[in-house]
mmCIF file with all atom_site columns, all heavy atoms in Angstrom:
data_model
loop_
_atom_site.group_PDB
_atom_site.id
_atom_site.type_symbol
_atom_site.label_atom_id
_atom_site.label_alt_id
_atom_site.label_comp_id
_atom_site.label_asym_id
_atom_site.label_entity_id
_atom_site.label_seq_id
_atom_site.pdbx_PDB_ins_code
_atom_site.Cartn_x
_atom_site.Cartn_y
_atom_site.Cartn_z
_atom_site.occupancy
_atom_site.B_iso_or_equiv
_atom_site.pdbx_formal_charge
_atom_site.auth_seq_id
_atom_site.auth_comp_id
_atom_site.auth_asym_id
_atom_site.auth_atom_id
_atom_site.pdbx_PDB_model_num
ATOM 1   N N   . GLU A 1 262 ? -52.786 -35.552 -66.785 1.00 98.00 ? 441 GLU A N   1
ATOM 2   C CA  . GLU A 1 262 ? -51.903 -36.438 -66.044 1.00 98.00 ? 441 GLU A CA  1
ATOM 3   C C   . GLU A 1 262 ? -52.724 -37.365 -65.156 1.00 98.00 ? 441 GLU A C   1
ATOM 4   O O   . GLU A 1 262 ? -53.859 -37.041 -64.751 1.00 98.00 ? 441 GLU A O   1
ATOM 5   C CB  . GLU A 1 262 ? -50.904 -35.643 -65.178 1.00 98.00 ? 441 GLU A CB  1
ATOM 6   C CG  . GLU A 1 262 ? -49.923 -34.793 -66.000 1.00 98.00 ? 441 GLU A CG  1
ATOM 7   C CD  . GLU A 1 262 ? -48.972 -34.081 -65.096 1.00 98.00 ? 441 GLU A CD  1
ATOM 8   O OE1 . GLU A 1 262 ? -49.455 -33.309 -64.186 1.00 98.00 ? 441 GLU A OE1 1
ATOM 9   O OE2 . GLU A 1 262 ? -47.760 -34.155 -65.298 1.00 98.00 ? 441 GLU A OE2 1
ATOM 10  N N   . VAL A 1 263 ? -52.060 -38.520 -64.756 1.00 98.00 ? 442 VAL A N   1
ATOM 11  C CA  . VAL A 1 263 ? -52.717 -39.467 -63.867 1.00 98.00 ? 442 VAL A CA  1
ATOM 12  C C   . VAL A 1 263 ? -51.866 -39.614 -62.636 1.00 98.00 ? 442 VAL A C   1
ATOM 13  O O   . VAL A 1 263 ? -50.674 -40.057 -62.727 1.00 98.00 ? 442 VAL A O   1
ATOM 14  C CB  . VAL A 1 263 ? -52.877 -40.842 -64.575 1.00 98.00 ? 442 VAL A CB  1
ATOM 15  C CG1 . VAL A 1 263 ? -53.488 -41.861 -63.624 1.00 98.00 ? 442 VAL A CG1 1
ATOM 16  C CG2 . VAL A 1 263 ? -53.707 -40.714 -65.834 1.00 98.00 ? 442 VAL A CG2 1
ATOM 17  N N   . LEU A 1 264 ? -52.401 -39.268 -61.478 1.00 98.00 ? 443 LEU A N   1
ATOM 18  C CA  . LEU A 1 264 ? -51.737 -39.421 -60.204 1.00 98.00 ? 443 LEU A CA  1
ATOM 19  C C   . LEU A 1 264 ? -52.497 -40.504 -59.384 1.00 98.00 ? 443 LEU A C   1
ATOM 20  O O   . LEU A 1 264 ? -53.708 -40.621 -59.502 1.00 98.00 ? 443 LEU A O   1
ATOM 21  C CB  . LEU A 1 264 ? -51.769 -38.115 -59.408 1.00 98.00 ? 443 LEU A CB  1
ATOM 22  C CG  . LEU A 1 264 ? -51.373 -36.837 -60.168 1.00 98.00 ? 443 LEU A CG  1
ATOM 23  C CD1 . LEU A 1 264 ? -51.507 -35.634 -59.249 1.00 98.00 ? 443 LEU A CD1 1
ATOM 24  C CD2 . LEU A 1 264 ? -49.962 -36.933 -60.692 1.00 98.00 ? 443 LEU A CD2 1
ATOM 25  N N   . LEU A 1 265 ? -51.747 -41.253 -58.623 1.00 98.00 ? 444 LEU A N   1
ATOM 26  C CA  . LEU A 1 265 ? -52.360 -42.339 -57.826 1.00 98.00 ? 444 LEU A CA  1
ATOM 27  C C   . LEU A 1 265 ? -52.285 -42.009 -56.342 1.00 98.00 ? 444 LEU A C   1
ATOM 28  O O   . LEU A 1 265 ? -51.242 -41.600 -55.841 1.00 98.00 ? 444 LEU A O   1
ATOM 29  C CB  . LEU A 1 265 ? -51.658 -43.671 -58.074 1.00 98.00 ? 444 LEU A CB  1
ATOM 30  C CG  . LEU A 1 265 ? -51.581 -44.225 -59.475 1.00 98.00 ? 444 LEU A CG  1
ATOM 31  C CD1 . LEU A 1 265 ? -51.018 -45.617 -59.454 1.00 98.00 ? 444 LEU A CD1 1
ATOM 32  C CD2 . LEU A 1 265 ? -52.948 -44.205 -60.148 1.00 98.00 ? 444 LEU A CD2 1
ATOM 33  N N   . ASP A 1 266 ? -53.396 -42.198 -55.631 1.00 96.00 ? 445 ASP A N   1
ATOM 34  C CA  . ASP A 1 266 ? -53.413 -42.163 -54.177 1.00 96.00 ? 445 ASP A CA  1
ATOM 35  C C   . ASP A 1 266 ? -52.952 -43.531 -53.695 1.00 96.00 ? 445 ASP A C   1
ATOM 36  O O   . ASP A 1 266 ? -53.603 -44.543 -53.908 1.00 96.00 ? 445 ASP A O   1
ATOM 37  C CB  . ASP A 1 266 ? -54.846 -41.871 -53.711 1.00 96.00 ? 445 ASP A CB  1
ATOM 38  C CG  . ASP A 1 266 ? -54.917 -41.568 -52.216 1.00 96.00 ? 445 ASP A CG  1
ATOM 39  O OD1 . ASP A 1 266 ? -54.042 -41.994 -51.478 1.00 96.00 ? 445 ASP A OD1 1
ATOM 40  O OD2 . ASP A 1 266 ? -55.928 -40.935 -51.805 1.00 96.00 ? 445 ASP A OD2 1
ATOM 41  N N   . VAL A 1 267 ? -51.785 -43.595 -53.050 1.00 95.00 ? 446 VAL A N   1
ATOM 42  C CA  . VAL A 1 267 ? -51.161 -44.875 -52.707 1.00 95.00 ? 446 VAL A CA  1
ATOM 43  C C   . VAL A 1 267 ? -51.091 -45.058 -51.176 1.00 95.00 ? 446 VAL A C   1
ATOM 44  O O   . VAL A 1 267 ? -50.879 -44.126 -50.458 1.00 95.00 ? 446 VAL A O   1
ATOM 45  C CB  . VAL A 1 267 ? -49.745 -45.041 -53.341 1.00 95.00 ? 446 VAL A CB  1
ATOM 46  C CG1 . VAL A 1 267 ? -49.898 -45.185 -54.839 1.00 95.00 ? 446 VAL A CG1 1
ATOM 47  C CG2 . VAL A 1 267 ? -48.853 -43.840 -53.032 1.00 95.00 ? 446 VAL A CG2 1
ATOM 48  N N   . VAL A 1 268 ? -51.246 -46.317 -50.753 1.00 93.00 ? 447 VAL A N   1
ATOM 49  C CA  . VAL A 1 268 ? -51.330 -46.630 -49.321 1.00 93.00 ? 447 VAL A CA  1
ATOM 50  C C   . VAL A 1 268 ? -50.233 -47.621 -48.973 1.00 93.00 ? 447 VAL A C   1
ATOM 51  O O   . VAL A 1 268 ? -50.463 -48.816 -48.859 1.00 93.00 ? 447 VAL A O   1
ATOM 52  C CB  . VAL A 1 268 ? -52.748 -47.215 -48.996 1.00 93.00 ? 447 VAL A CB  1
ATOM 53  C CG1 . VAL A 1 268 ? -52.916 -47.313 -47.472 1.00 93.00 ? 447 VAL A CG1 1
ATOM 54  C CG2 . VAL A 1 268 ? -53.837 -46.387 -49.608 1.00 93.00 ? 447 VAL A CG2 1
ATOM 55  N N   . TYR A 1 269 ? -49.031 -47.105 -48.803 1.00 92.00 ? 448 TYR A N   1
ATOM 56  C CA  . TYR A 1 269 ? -47.865 -47.919 -48.496 1.00 92.00 ? 448 TYR A CA  1
ATOM 57  C C   . TYR A 1 269 ? -47.632 -47.988 -46.967 1.00 92.00 ? 448 TYR A C   1
ATOM 58  O O   . TYR A 1 269 ? -46.576 -48.479 -46.556 1.00 92.00 ? 448 TYR A O   1
ATOM 59  C CB  . TYR A 1 269 ? -46.631 -47.387 -49.170 1.00 92.00 ? 448 TYR A CB  1
ATOM 60  C CG  . TYR A 1 269 ? -46.625 -47.500 -50.673 1.00 92.00 ? 448 TYR A CG  1
ATOM 61  C CD1 . TYR A 1 269 ? -46.596 -46.403 -51.481 1.00 92.00 ? 448 TYR A CD1 1
ATOM 62  C CD2 . TYR A 1 269 ? -46.641 -48.744 -51.294 1.00 92.00 ? 448 TYR A CD2 1
ATOM 63  C CE1 . TYR A 1 269 ? -46.539 -46.461 -52.852 1.00 92.00 ? 448 TYR A CE1 1
ATOM 64  C CE2 . TYR A 1 269 ? -46.595 -48.859 -52.701 1.00 92.00 ? 448 TYR A CE2 1
ATOM 65  C CZ  . TYR A 1 269 ? -46.556 -47.716 -53.477 1.00 92.00 ? 448 TYR A CZ  1
ATOM 66  O OH  . TYR A 1 269 ? -46.548 -47.801 -54.847 1.00 92.00 ? 448 TYR A OH  1
ATOM 67  N N   . ASN A 1 270 ? -48.531 -47.443 -46.184 1.00 89.00 ? 449 ASN A N   1
ATOM 68  C CA  . ASN A 1 270 ? -48.258 -47.428 -44.729 1.00 89.00 ? 449 ASN A CA  1
ATOM 69  C C   . ASN A 1 270 ? -48.780 -48.648 -43.983 1.00 89.00 ? 449 ASN A C   1
ATOM 70  O O   . ASN A 1 270 ? -48.317 -48.959 -42.887 1.00 89.00 ? 449 ASN A O   1
ATOM 71  C CB  . ASN A 1 270 ? -48.877 -46.153 -44.152 1.00 89.00 ? 449 ASN A CB  1
ATOM 72  C CG  . ASN A 1 270 ? -50.337 -45.996 -44.499 1.00 89.00 ? 449 ASN A CG  1
ATOM 73  O OD1 . ASN A 1 270 ? -51.196 -46.683 -44.009 1.00 89.00 ? 449 ASN A OD1 1
ATOM 74  N ND2 . ASN A 1 270 ? -50.627 -45.041 -45.414 1.00 89.00 ? 449 ASN A ND2 1
ATOM 75  N N   . HIS A 1 271 ? -49.765 -49.395 -44.537 1.00 93.00 ? 450 HIS A N   1
ATOM 76  C CA  . HIS A 1 271 ? -50.312 -50.579 -43.907 1.00 93.00 ? 450 HIS A CA  1
ATOM 77  C C   . HIS A 1 271 ? -50.890 -51.476 -44.992 1.00 93.00 ? 450 HIS A C   1
ATOM 78  O O   . HIS A 1 271 ? -50.967 -51.096 -46.119 1.00 93.00 ? 450 HIS A O   1
ATOM 79  C CB  . HIS A 1 271 ? -51.376 -50.217 -42.915 1.00 93.00 ? 450 HIS A CB  1
ATOM 80  C CG  . HIS A 1 271 ? -52.690 -49.801 -43.511 1.00 93.00 ? 450 HIS A CG  1
ATOM 81  N ND1 . HIS A 1 271 ? -52.876 -48.523 -44.008 1.00 93.00 ? 450 HIS A ND1 1
ATOM 82  C CD2 . HIS A 1 271 ? -53.837 -50.497 -43.771 1.00 93.00 ? 450 HIS A CD2 1
ATOM 83  C CE1 . HIS A 1 271 ? -54.114 -48.451 -44.507 1.00 93.00 ? 450 HIS A CE1 1
ATOM 84  N NE2 . HIS A 1 271 ? -54.720 -49.634 -44.385 1.00 93.00 ? 450 HIS A NE2 1
ATOM 85  N N   . THR A 1 272 ? -51.313 -52.689 -44.571 1.00 97.00 ? 451 THR A N   1
ATOM 86  C CA  . THR A 1 272 ? -51.961 -53.623 -45.506 1.00 97.00 ? 451 THR A CA  1
ATOM 87  C C   . THR A 1 272 ? -53.299 -54.040 -44.956 1.00 97.00 ? 451 THR A C   1
ATOM 88  O O   . THR A 1 272 ? -53.654 -53.721 -43.785 1.00 97.00 ? 451 THR A O   1
ATOM 89  C CB  . THR A 1 272 ? -51.119 -54.865 -45.762 1.00 97.00 ? 451 THR A CB  1
ATOM 90  O OG1 . THR A 1 272 ? -51.241 -55.727 -44.627 1.00 97.00 ? 451 THR A OG1 1
ATOM 91  C CG2 . THR A 1 272 ? -49.624 -54.495 -45.984 1.00 97.00 ? 451 THR A CG2 1
ATOM 92  N N   . ALA A 1 273 ? -53.984 -54.872 -45.727 1.00 98.00 ? 452 ALA A N   1
ATOM 93  C CA  . ALA A 1 273 ? -55.304 -55.348 -45.335 1.00 98.00 ? 452 ALA A CA  1
ATOM 94  C C   . ALA A 1 273 ? -55.269 -56.519 -44.351 1.00 98.00 ? 452 ALA A C   1
ATOM 95  O O   . ALA A 1 273 ? -56.336 -57.099 -44.014 1.00 98.00 ? 452 ALA A O   1
ATOM 96  C CB  . ALA A 1 273 ? -56.089 -55.789 -46.587 1.00 98.00 ? 452 ALA A CB  1
ATOM 97  N N   . GLU A 1 274 ? -54.049 -56.926 -43.888 1.00 98.00 ? 453 GLU A N   1
ATOM 98  C CA  . GLU A 1 274 ? -53.981 -58.111 -43.014 1.00 98.00 ? 453 GLU A CA  1
ATOM 99  C C   . GLU A 1 274 ? -54.231 -57.811 -41.539 1.00 98.00 ? 453 GLU A C   1
ATOM 100 O O   . GLU A 1 274 ? -54.269 -58.710 -40.723 1.00 98.00 ? 453 GLU A O   1
ATOM 101 C CB  . GLU A 1 274 ? -52.615 -58.765 -43.194 1.00 98.00 ? 453 GLU A CB  1
ATOM 102 C CG  . GLU A 1 274 ? -52.427 -59.403 -44.550 1.00 98.00 ? 453 GLU A CG  1
ATOM 103 C CD  . GLU A 1 274 ? -51.168 -60.181 -44.666 1.00 98.00 ? 453 GLU A CD  1
ATOM 104 O OE1 . GLU A 1 274 ? -50.074 -59.597 -44.522 1.00 98.00 ? 453 GLU A OE1 1
ATOM 105 O OE2 . GLU A 1 274 ? -51.245 -61.403 -44.921 1.00 98.00 ? 453 GLU A OE2 1
ATOM 106 N N   . GLY A 1 275 ? -54.378 -56.496 -41.200 1.00 97.00 ? 454 GLY A N   1
ATOM 107 C CA  . GLY A 1 275 ? -54.789 -56.174 -39.819 1.00 97.00 ? 454 GLY A CA  1
ATOM 108 C C   . GLY A 1 275 ? -53.746 -56.535 -38.792 1.00 97.00 ? 454 GLY A C   1
ATOM 109 O O   . GLY A 1 275 ? -52.528 -56.669 -39.092 1.00 97.00 ? 454 GLY A O   1
ATOM 110 N N   . ASN A 1 276 ? -54.189 -56.721 -37.564 1.00 97.00 ? 455 ASN A N   1
ATOM 111 C CA  . ASN A 1 276 ? -53.287 -56.968 -36.434 1.00 97.00 ? 455 ASN A CA  1
ATOM 112 C C   . ASN A 1 276 ? -53.100 -58.488 -36.232 1.00 97.00 ? 455 ASN A C   1
ATOM 113 O O   . ASN A 1 276 ? -53.341 -59.262 -37.163 1.00 97.00 ? 455 ASN A O   1
ATOM 114 C CB  . ASN A 1 276 ? -53.788 -56.295 -35.160 1.00 97.00 ? 455 ASN A CB  1
ATOM 115 C CG  . ASN A 1 276 ? -55.162 -56.790 -34.727 1.00 97.00 ? 455 ASN A CG  1
ATOM 116 O OD1 . ASN A 1 276 ? -55.655 -57.835 -35.198 1.00 97.00 ? 455 ASN A OD1 1
ATOM 117 N ND2 . ASN A 1 276 ? -55.785 -56.053 -33.828 1.00 97.00 ? 455 ASN A ND2 1
ATOM 118 N N   . HIS A 1 277 ? -52.735 -58.906 -35.028 1.00 97.00 ? 456 HIS A N   1
ATOM 119 C CA  . HIS A 1 277 ? -52.455 -60.338 -34.768 1.00 97.00 ? 456 HIS A CA  1
ATOM 120 C C   . HIS A 1 277 ? -53.710 -61.173 -34.889 1.00 97.00 ? 456 HIS A C   1
ATOM 121 O O   . HIS A 1 277 ? -53.622 -62.423 -34.969 1.00 97.00 ? 456 HIS A O   1
ATOM 122 C CB  . HIS A 1 277 ? -51.883 -60.488 -33.360 1.00 97.00 ? 456 HIS A CB  1
ATOM 123 C CG  . HIS A 1 277 ? -52.762 -60.027 -32.266 1.00 97.00 ? 456 HIS A CG  1
ATOM 124 N ND1 . HIS A 1 277 ? -53.044 -58.687 -32.058 1.00 97.00 ? 456 HIS A ND1 1
ATOM 125 C CD2 . HIS A 1 277 ? -53.445 -60.744 -31.286 1.00 97.00 ? 456 HIS A CD2 1
ATOM 126 C CE1 . HIS A 1 277 ? -53.881 -58.586 -31.020 1.00 97.00 ? 456 HIS A CE1 1
ATOM 127 N NE2 . HIS A 1 277 ? -54.156 -59.811 -30.555 1.00 97.00 ? 456 HIS A NE2 1
ATOM 128 N N   . LEU A 1 278 ? -54.902 -60.554 -34.906 1.00 97.00 ? 457 LEU A N   1
ATOM 129 C CA  . LEU A 1 278 ? -56.140 -61.316 -35.099 1.00 97.00 ? 457 LEU A CA  1
ATOM 130 C C   . LEU A 1 278 ? -56.687 -61.219 -36.516 1.00 97.00 ? 457 LEU A C   1
ATOM 131 O O   . LEU A 1 278 ? -57.770 -61.658 -36.804 1.00 97.00 ? 457 LEU A O   1
ATOM 132 C CB  . LEU A 1 278 ? -57.178 -60.832 -34.101 1.00 97.00 ? 457 LEU A CB  1
ATOM 133 C CG  . LEU A 1 278 ? -56.820 -61.016 -32.620 1.00 97.00 ? 457 LEU A CG  1
ATOM 134 C CD1 . LEU A 1 278 ? -57.908 -60.455 -31.716 1.00 97.00 ? 457 LEU A CD1 1
ATOM 135 C CD2 . LEU A 1 278 ? -56.596 -62.504 -32.274 1.00 97.00 ? 457 LEU A CD2 1
ATOM 136 N N   . GLY A 1 279 ? -55.920 -60.587 -37.403 1.00 98.00 ? 458 GLY A N   1
ATOM 137 C CA  . GLY A 1 279 ? -56.367 -60.398 -38.790 1.00 98.00 ? 458 GLY A CA  1
ATOM 138 C C   . GLY A 1 279 ? -56.080 -61.605 -39.676 1.00 98.00 ? 458 GLY A C   1
ATOM 139 O O   . GLY A 1 279 ? -55.423 -62.560 -39.244 1.00 98.00 ? 458 GLY A O   1
ATOM 140 N N   . PRO A 1 280 ? -56.537 -61.558 -40.899 1.00 98.00 ? 459 PRO A N   1
ATOM 141 C CA  . PRO A 1 280 ? -56.380 -62.691 -41.815 1.00 98.00 ? 459 PRO A CA  1
ATOM 142 C C   . PRO A 1 280 ? -54.931 -62.808 -42.300 1.00 98.00 ? 459 PRO A C   1
ATOM 143 O O   . PRO A 1 280 ? -54.112 -61.897 -42.159 1.00 98.00 ? 459 PRO A O   1
ATOM 144 C CB  . PRO A 1 280 ? -57.298 -62.332 -42.977 1.00 98.00 ? 459 PRO A CB  1
ATOM 145 C CG  . PRO A 1 280 ? -57.302 -60.839 -43.004 1.00 98.00 ? 459 PRO A CG  1
ATOM 146 C CD  . PRO A 1 280 ? -57.269 -60.442 -41.564 1.00 98.00 ? 459 PRO A CD  1
ATOM 147 N N   . MET A 1 281 ? -54.626 -63.976 -42.856 1.00 98.00 ? 460 MET A N   1
ATOM 148 C CA  . MET A 1 281 ? -53.295 -64.230 -43.480 1.00 98.00 ? 460 MET A CA  1
ATOM 149 C C   . MET A 1 281 ? -53.526 -64.382 -44.982 1.00 98.00 ? 460 MET A C   1
ATOM 150 O O   . MET A 1 281 ? -53.981 -65.381 -45.477 1.00 98.00 ? 460 MET A O   1
ATOM 151 C CB  . MET A 1 281 ? -52.646 -65.496 -42.873 1.00 98.00 ? 460 MET A CB  1
ATOM 152 C CG  . MET A 1 281 ? -51.279 -65.785 -43.476 1.00 98.00 ? 460 MET A CG  1
ATOM 153 S SD  . MET A 1 281 ? -50.409 -67.161 -42.675 1.00 98.00 ? 460 MET A SD  1
ATOM 154 C CE  . MET A 1 281 ? -49.894 -66.397 -41.143 1.00 98.00 ? 460 MET A CE  1
#
Side-chain angles (χ1 to χ4, degrees):
E441 294 180 307
V442 179
L443 314 178
L444 302 187
D445 189 338
V446 290
V447 190
Y448 292 117
N449 52 73
H450 74 279
T451 77
E453 291 186 299
N455 62 15
H456 62 289
L457 299 177
M460 180 173 284

